[in-house]
């Protein structure tokens, strides 16, 4: 048969195959879709998917209800949940430490260049400035709301069922949005008080002695899930979680986070964490992809990652800047790389980096730089903070 009849048969076959691949207790709807895709040409034709998929370099699909796959480092990390397609690009704009008019202009310029993800957080103290830039971008037609992924984070002082809605309400108001595409738990740590001393850290990065915190995330995650059910959040995930904490969260709630946003660069490869996230279908977002020499521990790091001779050599061989080589490395690990800059020329270089060619030998040379060095400091001894 040909024409309409062939298409009708393909659709019927795809529906039958989809019914046989319905999600089980540890399989999400996206996993079922992927199983359908992999079962035959009928499903591929009916779903209008490519006849052949490019080589996968990113985490495989798994238990997350909203995670799909990355088809290439220059393509998108596709997540499907609640019938809404969310596409995580291989690079997003980071807004940490950006202040004043700089952050507004950086957001506007990044959107002009083609960035389609903006990473924010209530704790950054600049969401109202990001919101002003977004409003201007929408009014000017630079991007439509549905084309943009806006990420925000719940900080430690808003853990707990009663506090989560307060934090989300504030972020939505500051950003001028009706919903967030992705809402992340900033740390697996709860502070006792909402009001924090200023500054919250000392000169060496040590948390203020008045801050009282503990490891807590299950109750807060359940409250975040309620925000998702309300429609004010499309997807939820976490930041700075270790493998044991992810295991505890999944075991305690039966839910798999969409995303784990973590520090990731050649000095901190985190291979075990990447492999675990891959096995569970958790997408990874990478912050501080260039190292963070102006962070508290970055001031003590000695040689700066961007000035490392191996990084410089790889970049020279690639015909690019060291920053571009590091961004490409992160993309090849399957991460959505959060590159931060307020300079237009660097924003463009960062965006161009994800499509550069890096050979396996060059990638392995950067892998070998791993020294388990973390630029960012945590908030509790034993969790990214020295115990002595």
């Amino acid at each position: 048969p040909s024409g309409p009849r062939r298409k009708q048969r393909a659709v019927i076959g795809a529906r039958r195959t989809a019914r046989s691949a319905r999600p089980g207790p540890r399989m999400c709807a996206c996993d079922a879709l992927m199983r359908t895709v992999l079962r035959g040409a009928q499903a591929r034709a009916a779903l209008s998917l490519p006849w052949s998929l490019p080589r996968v370099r990113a985490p495989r699909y798994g238990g997350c209800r909203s995670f799909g796959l990355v088809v290439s480092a220059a393509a998108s990390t596709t997540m499907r949940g609640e019938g809404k397609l969310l596409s995580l690009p291989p690079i997003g704009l980071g807004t940490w430490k950006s202040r004043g008019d700089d952050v507004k202009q950086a957001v506007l310029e990044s959107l002009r260049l083609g960035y389609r993800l903006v990473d924010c957080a209530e704790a950054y103290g600049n969401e109202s400035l990001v919101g002003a830039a977004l409003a201007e971008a929408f009014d000017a037609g630079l991007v439509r709301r549905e084309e943009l992924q806006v990420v925000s984070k719940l900080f430690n002082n808003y853990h707990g069922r009663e506090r989560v809605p307060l934090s989300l309400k504030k972020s939505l108001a500051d950003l001028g949005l009706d919903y967030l595409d992705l809402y992340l738990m900033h740390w697996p740590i709860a502070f006792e008080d909402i009001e924090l001393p200023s500054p919250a850290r000392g000169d060496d990065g040590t948390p203020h002695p008045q801050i009282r915190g503990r490891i807590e995330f299950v109750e807060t995650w359940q409250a975040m899930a309620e925000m998702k059910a309300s429609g004010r959040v499309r997807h939820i995930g976490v930041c700075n979680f270790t493998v044991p904490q992810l295991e505890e969260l999944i075991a305690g709630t039966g839910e798999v986070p969409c995303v784990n946003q973590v520090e990731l660069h050649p000095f901190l490869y985190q291979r075990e964490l990447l492999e675990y996230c891959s096995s569970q279908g958790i997408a990874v977002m990478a912050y501080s992809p260039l190292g963070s020499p102006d962070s508290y521990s970055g001031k003590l790091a000695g040689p700066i990652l961007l000035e490392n001779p191996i990084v410089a050599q790889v970049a020279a061989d690639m015909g690019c800047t060291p920053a571009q080589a590091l961004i490409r490395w992160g993309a090849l690990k399957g991460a959505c790389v959060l590159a931060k800059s307020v300079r237009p020329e660097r924003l463009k270089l960062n965006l161009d980096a994800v499509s550069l060619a890096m050979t396996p030998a060059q990638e392995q040379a950067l892998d070998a730089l791993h020294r388990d060095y973390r630029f960012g400091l945590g908030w509790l001894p034993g969790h990214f903070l020295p115990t002595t």
Side-chain angles (χ1 to χ4, degrees), residues 138-194:
F138 296 149
D139 289 343
L142 291 180
V143 64
R144 297 193 303 273
R145 174 65 185 96
E146 61 270 20
E147 296 174 330
L148 184 65
Q149 284 78 57
V150 181
V151 184
S152 188
K153 307 180 188 73
L154 173 94
F155 197 56
N156 309 347
N157 54 333
Y158 282 98
H159 276 230
R161 190 171 297 275
E162 301 300 323
R163 296 184 183 182
V164 169
L166 302 177
S167 178
L168 177 60
K169 181 179 180 180
K170 183 178 187 304
S171 285
L172 287 175
D174 287 345
L175 292 167
L177 300 176
D178 297 323
Y179 68 91
L180 292 173
D181 299 274
L182 184 59
Y183 197 38
L184 305 177
M185 192 186 310
H186 211 147
W187 293 87
I189 294 168
F191 288 165
E192 183 175 317
D193 301 318
I194 290 182

Side-chain angles (χ1 to χ4, degrees), residues 58-88:
R60 295 173 56 199
Y61 60 94
C64 176
R65 290 183 177 181
S66 300
F67 182 78
L69 80 164
V70 175
V71 295
S72 73
S76 299
T77 303
T78 309
M79 299 194 297
R80 189 179 296 273
E82 305 295 330
K84 170 70 176 178
L85 191 66
L86 174 66
S87 182
L88 285 182

